[in-house]
Amino acid sequence: EIPAKICYNKGVKGIIIKTGIDLGSKAVKVVVTAEHPETGKIEVLGATKELSAGIVNGQVVSVFEATSSVKRAIEKTEQALKL
């Protein structure tokens, strides 16, 4: 559903939407990109960072806290993209 909304806004069919999530000990980072099917040009649609919890030295020590951090980061990204 989200890619279709972005594709229609762009007016181009077949745009490829990709999302990357980086889980770190200090922050969870999310980036959303769109790749144009004909040109291959990649555009960053949004990127956000949220403080992380439940991750120490790159290891998940609390699944609940780490999951909450990821959810907050995704919600922040959705708000930034106005979805």
Side-chain angles (χ1 to χ4, degrees), residues 35-42:
E35 181 179 348
H36 192 284
E38 294 172 6
T39 65
K41 181 180 176 185
I42 297 173

Short mmCIF file of all heavy atoms in Angstrom, two decimals, residues 35-42:
data_model
loop_
_atom_site.label_atom_id
_atom_site.label_comp_id
_atom_site.label_asym_id
_atom_site.label_seq_id
_atom_site.Cartn_x
_atom_site.Cartn_y
_atom_site.Cartn_z
N GLU A 35 13.56 4.18 -6.54
CA GLU A 35 14.39 4.00 -7.73
C GLU A 35 13.50 4.09 -8.96
O GLU A 35 12.53 3.36 -9.09
CB GLU A 35 15.10 2.66 -7.69
CG GLU A 35 15.99 2.42 -8.88
CD GLU A 35 16.71 1.08 -8.83
OE1 GLU A 35 16.71 0.44 -7.77
OE2 GLU A 35 17.26 0.69 -9.86
N HIS A 36 13.83 4.98 -9.86
CA HIS A 36 13.07 5.16 -11.10
C HIS A 36 13.37 3.98 -12.02
O HIS A 36 14.53 3.65 -12.26
CB HIS A 36 13.45 6.48 -11.77
CG HIS A 36 12.53 6.87 -12.88
ND1 HIS A 36 12.56 6.28 -14.11
CD2 HIS A 36 11.54 7.78 -12.91
CE1 HIS A 36 11.65 6.82 -14.88
NE2 HIS A 36 11.00 7.74 -14.17
N PRO A 37 12.33 3.32 -12.54
CA PRO A 37 12.54 2.10 -13.33
C PRO A 37 13.28 2.31 -14.65
O PRO A 37 13.99 1.42 -15.10
CB PRO A 37 11.13 1.59 -13.58
CG PRO A 37 10.27 2.79 -13.48
CD PRO A 37 10.93 3.67 -12.46
N GLU A 38 13.15 3.46 -15.25
CA GLU A 38 13.77 3.68 -16.56
C GLU A 38 15.20 4.22 -16.45
O GLU A 38 16.07 3.82 -17.21
CB GLU A 38 12.90 4.64 -17.38
CG GLU A 38 11.55 4.03 -17.74
CD GLU A 38 10.62 5.04 -18.39
OE1 GLU A 38 11.05 6.17 -18.68
OE2 GLU A 38 9.45 4.68 -18.60
N THR A 39 15.41 5.13 -15.52
CA THR A 39 16.73 5.77 -15.42
C THR A 39 17.63 5.12 -14.38
O THR A 39 18.84 5.29 -14.42
CB THR A 39 16.59 7.26 -15.06
OG1 THR A 39 16.01 7.36 -13.75
CG2 THR A 39 15.74 8.00 -16.07
N GLY A 40 17.04 4.41 -13.43
CA GLY A 40 17.82 3.82 -12.34
C GLY A 40 18.22 4.83 -11.28
O GLY A 40 18.91 4.51 -10.32
N LYS A 41 17.78 6.09 -11.46
CA LYS A 41 18.11 7.14 -10.50
C LYS A 41 17.46 6.82 -9.15
O LYS A 41 16.29 6.46 -9.08
CB LYS A 41 17.61 8.48 -11.01
CG LYS A 41 17.92 9.63 -10.09
CD LYS A 41 17.40 10.95 -10.63
CE LYS A 41 17.64 12.05 -9.64
NZ LYS A 41 17.06 13.32 -10.05
N ILE A 42 18.24 6.98 -8.08
CA ILE A 42 17.75 6.71 -6.73
C ILE A 42 17.57 8.03 -6.00
O ILE A 42 18.47 8.87 -5.98
CB ILE A 42 18.70 5.79 -5.96
CG1 ILE A 42 18.78 4.44 -6.67
CG2 ILE A 42 18.26 5.63 -4.51
CD1 ILE A 42 19.80 3.50 -6.10
#
